[in-house]
Amino acid sequence: MRPFTLNYASLRGLSDAVTPYHFDPARQLNVLADGRPAVSDPDLLLAVGTTTSTAGSATHFDD
């Protein structure tokens, strides 16, 4: 039996999107190229919707 959702799902490869921020393990947050926290840029937040990283799930059991 085929699950209902697979009738509408399409397999796609990973996107080639490049985020303008990176995770800084020393500061435990995402930072921009100029060193500012990524959450301090309202235009970036509007464009990407979030700056969530996977670091929290590796360091905190309740994320």
Side-chain angles (χ1 to χ4, degrees):
M1 185 169 132
R2 183 179 172 93
F4 176 77
T5 56
L6 291 181
N7 293 329
Y8 301 98
S10 61
L11 297 176
R12 295 183 183 166
L14 296 175
S15 70
D16 293 332
V18 176
T19 56
Y21 55 86
H22 67 278
F23 181 72
D24 181 352
R27 296 170 65 186
Q28 291 288 305
L29 54 90
N30 291 316
V31 294
L32 300 169
D34 63 4
R36 293 180 298 135
V39 297
S40 67
D41 187 340
D43 293 330
L44 172 66
L45 292 176
L46 286 172
V48 299
T50 181
T51 63
T52 302
S53 72
T54 58
S57 60
T59 58
H60 302 288
F61 68 90
D62 61 346
D63 283 351

